[in-house]
Amino acid sequence: MKLFHKIFLCFMLIFGITFQTAGFLLIDFASRNAISQEKKYAFQDFQYNKYILQSILYSEPDFFEKEETELAGISSNFTVPIAVYGIDGEYLFSNIAMQPWELDVHEEDDDRISFRICEKAGESYIFVYDYVRQDENSMYLITQTDISSVIDAQKSMMVYFQKLYIVLLFISFPVIFLLTKVITASIKKVGKVARRIAGGEYSERIRTKGKDEIGELASDFNLMAEQVEEKIAELSDVARQKEDFTANFAHELKTPLTSVIGYADMLYQRDLPREEVKSAAGYILNEGMRLESLSLKLMDLFVLDKQDFFLEPLSVQEMFENLRQGIEPVCEKNRVALHLELEESCIEVDFDLFKTMILNLVDNAVKADCEDIWIRGKQSKNFYQIMIKDNGKGIPVDELGRITEAFYMVDKSRSRKQHGAGLGMALVAKIVEIHRAKMKIESDGRTGTEINIAFRLQEGKLDE
């Protein structure tokens, strides 16, 4: 059963039961009040007629010993129909609708006035009876009060209410139907949007203005949809990167291997002059070195993914004194001036990985045809920042977000000539991640590149 049908049936059931119960209680309350009021009037009539009876007994103590024909005249003395009979149950006088013996009257020890409501031949009465004493006379007095109009009014109210109930039920049917439709409309929107998202339309959102539970559900659903869209985008990006990685890897292998196979076949099939043999061997050597560089970089990436590294506190000055021996020869060979400005501090690193990272960054700067490389270290309250800046060709702004992807190269022809494979920055990004550091790359594509790496200090918190 659908939620619409459940809500509709529940509304109809609740309305029906509630209205019927409320009507019954209201009519019952009104009837009880009316009968209670009639009891008061009946009690007043009884008291008045009791006084009349006592007066008759006072004036004529033997009055009820007369013949019945003589007693018939006293009816006009009483305001309501009465019945009088003795203690032994002997019938004395009556002009009420019911015979006294049908009332099961008996002597009350505590002299309490008793009430009884009876119905006969469609008529309803209140009988009030009590034990009456006057001098030596003792008897029972019963008064009769007609309450048929009250009972008939109650029955009429019940009939009228049932008709009204049926009319209101038919009127409420379409109203509740429309109300249920309005309530479930937002839920249907959620279902439609969910089906669209399931069909691949991840940008779909629920548009609702309500602030009730349905509105909150729609808001939460939209938030979930945004998260799903982001995750799908991330997965798509990862899938694209894997495809690019596979395609680039195959391409990077194909190009040098084709050259190696071609030149090796030429050396094998033909007798060439020494100069041509040397030139061919040079090509084979150059491409072999590029394959070696590619294999080493890939191995480093795979190793970094599968190992846990122990980071230990090391002095920045001491690490760069060691690194200077590997950096300066590269800079001198390419006629690049190296500028070191380092504040002393202690950071947690794996020295081998840290060395690999710095050498890759310096190597990239050198390959960008720069004339100067600045390496600066500055300590702040919560972190130590290392900045590597060059004045080379720079990186186009629209390519800054992709340079840490494996095999991505800004200038592919220049990188291949320098035995590059586009894995250096991917390796650097992985090392930065292992050190729980943050890397920021800035370049305008014309006046060089600046790379800032912020390392968390001991017991410090790295700013975002």
Side-chain angles (χ1 to χ4, degrees):
M1 184 182 291
K2 291 186 177 180
L3 180 62
F4 174 86
H5 298 139
K6 291 180 180 179
I7 295 176
F8 177 74
L9 291 176
C10 285
F11 275 173
M12 289 298 298
L13 188 63
I14 291 171
F15 174 80
I17 294 175
T18 303
F19 192 75
Q20 185 81 347
T21 304
F24 172 78
L25 293 176
L26 183 63
I27 293 173
D28 182 68
F29 177 76
S31 299
R32 286 176 181 273
N33 283 344
I35 291 175
S36 177
Q37 192 68 28
E38 291 295 330
K39 282 184 176 181
K40 290 180 182 178
Y41 294 147
F43 176 76
Q44 291 174 0
D45 289 339
F46 177 84
Q47 292 290 81
Y48 182 73
N49 288 282
K50 178 181 178 181
Y51 172 76
I52 294 174
L53 177 62
Q54 288 175 332
S55 297
I56 292 173
L57 293 175
Y58 177 79
S59 60
E60 296 183 59
D62 300 329
F63 180 81
F64 285 99
E65 295 178 1
K66 297 179 180 180
E67 295 294 331
E68 186 174 351
T69 55
E70 296 180 23
L71 296 176
I74 69 167
S75 299
S76 60
N77 294 330
F78 296 96
T79 59
V80 293
I82 67 165
V84 181
Y85 59 95
I87 296 300
D88 56 358
E90 179 185 0
Y91 171 75
L92 300 177
F93 173 79
S94 175
N95 63 348
I96 62 177
M98 299 178 67
Q99 295 302 320
W101 54 84
E102 295 181 45
L103 297 173
D104 190 25
V105 179
H106 58 278
E107 183 177 355
E108 295 286 347
D109 295 333
D110 55 3
D111 294 335
R112 288 186 303 176
I113 296 177
S114 300
F115 292 85
R116 179 173 296 182
I117 297 176
C118 298
E119 186 175 351
K120 182 179 182 181
E123 300 293 329
S124 299
Y125 305 96
I126 293 181
F127 293 98
V128 184
Y129 50 95
D130 191 18
Y131 184 64
V132 179
R133 297 182 182 89
Q134 179 60 41
D135 296 331
E136 296 179 356
N137 291 314
S138 296
M139 58 191 66
Y140 280 101
L141 171 65
I142 302 172
T143 61
Q144 171 189 296
T145 304
D146 189 358
I147 60 169
S148 298
S149 60
V150 176
I151 301 301
D152 290 342
Q154 180 185 14
K155 292 178 180 179
S156 298
M157 288 175 64
M158 289 297 297
V159 172
Y160 178 78
F161 173 75
Q162 292 302 326
K163 292 179 180 178
L164 180 64
Y165 174 75
I166 293 172
V167 172
L168 290 178
L169 201 63
F170 277 103
I171 294 174
S172 65
F173 186 89
V175 175
I176 293 176
F177 182 85
L178 293 175
L179 182 62
T180 306
K181 197 169 184 179
V182 171
I183 292 174
T184 57
S186 299
I187 300 177
K188 287 183 178 180
K189 286 183 182 179
V190 175
K192 289 179 180 178
V193 173
R195 286 190 290 272
R196 291 195 191 103
I197 292 176
E201 300 178 24
Y202 302 112
S203 60
E204 281 290 325
R205 296 293 182 271
I206 302 171
R207 293 172 178 83
T208 179
K209 298 179 181 179
K211 294 184 179 181
D212 54 5
E213 287 79 359
I214 302 297
E216 291 178 359
L217 174 64
S219 178
D220 294 339
F221 186 88
N222 287 338
L223 180 61
M224 180 193 71
E226 289 176 8
Q227 296 295 324
V228 169
E229 187 178 12
E230 290 179 6
K231 293 299 180 183
I232 293 295
E234 289 178 9
L235 291 173
S236 299
D237 190 52
V238 170
R240 180 187 58 78
Q241 290 180 9
K242 288 183 178 180
E243 290 178 359
D244 292 345
F245 180 90
T246 303
N248 290 329
F249 180 69
H251 181 73
E252 293 298 328
L253 286 178
K254 179 182 177 182
T255 303
L257 284 175
T258 301
S259 299
V260 168
I261 292 172
Y263 283 107
D265 182 64
M266 184 175 65
L267 291 174
Y268 179 76
Q269 297 287 346
R270 298 167 56 185
D271 293 329
L272 300 173
R274 180 175 177 79
E275 289 300 322
E276 291 186 14
V277 171
K278 187 176 180 180
S279 176
Y283 277 111
I284 292 173
L285 176 63
N286 188 62
E287 296 302 320
M289 290 174 64
R290 201 156 74 83
L291 284 175
E292 180 186 35
S293 174
L294 175 63
S295 64
L296 291 175
K297 295 284 187 181
L298 283 175
M299 185 179 296
D300 287 340
L301 280 175
F302 292 142
V303 168
L304 291 181
D305 270 334
K306 296 180 180 180
Q307 285 192 14
D308 293 326
F309 295 90
F310 175 72
L311 305 182
E312 58 180 338
L314 294 176
S315 167
V316 175
Q317 291 280 9
E318 292 179 4
M319 285 193 294
F320 274 95
E321 284 298 325
N322 186 292
L323 287 171
R324 186 192 291 269
Q325 300 174 9
I327 297 174
E328 286 184 342
V330 176
C331 292
E332 291 175 359
K333 180 180 178 181
N334 292 276
R335 298 179 181 179
V336 176
L338 178 64
H339 308 278
L340 286 176
E341 300 175 12
L342 301 167
E343 292 183 5
E344 176 56 21
S345 185
C346 187
I347 58 177
E348 292 185 342
V349 297
D350 179 288
F351 178 71
D352 291 332
L353 294 182
F354 184 83
K355 180 178 179 181
T356 300
M357 179 183 68
I358 298 299
L359 291 177
N360 270 281
L361 292 174
V362 171
D363 183 58
N364 285 342
V366 170
K367 290 177 181 177
D369 297 332
C370 68
E371 295 180 355
D372 295 274
I373 296 177
W374 291 270
I375 301 179
R376 297 190 179 98
K378 185 177 180 181
Q379 180 175 334
S380 187
K381 181 179 179 181
N382 296 324
F383 60 92
Y384 189 88
Q385 183 172 303
I386 295 176
M387 183 269 289
I388 299 176
K389 182 179 179 180
D390 65 71
N391 52 8
K393 294 182 178 181
I395 303 169
V397 177
D398 57 348
E399 297 189 38
L400 284 174
R402 298 193 61 192
I403 62 172
T404 57
E405 295 179 13
F407 294 109
Y408 185 80
M409 294 175 282
V410 177
D411 189 340
K412 295 179 175 58
S413 60
R414 186 186 70 199
S415 296
R416 289 196 178 97
K417 289 178 182 178
Q418 297 169 334
H419 305 150
L423 292 172
M425 286 305 297
L427 192 61
V428 168
K430 188 64 182 177
I431 293 173
V432 169
E433 180 185 343
I434 290 171
H435 283 82
R436 299 186 295 277
K438 296 289 182 181
M439 179 171 66
K440 184 178 181 181
I441 304 173
E442 297 178 347
S443 180
D444 58 5
R446 297 187 302 273
T447 58
T449 302
E450 180 176 326
I451 298 176
N452 289 279
I453 304 174
F455 290 86
R456 189 194 308 269
L457 293 176
Q458 291 180 348
E459 299 182 357
K461 182 177 181 181
L462 183 62
D463 290 346
E464 295 293 338

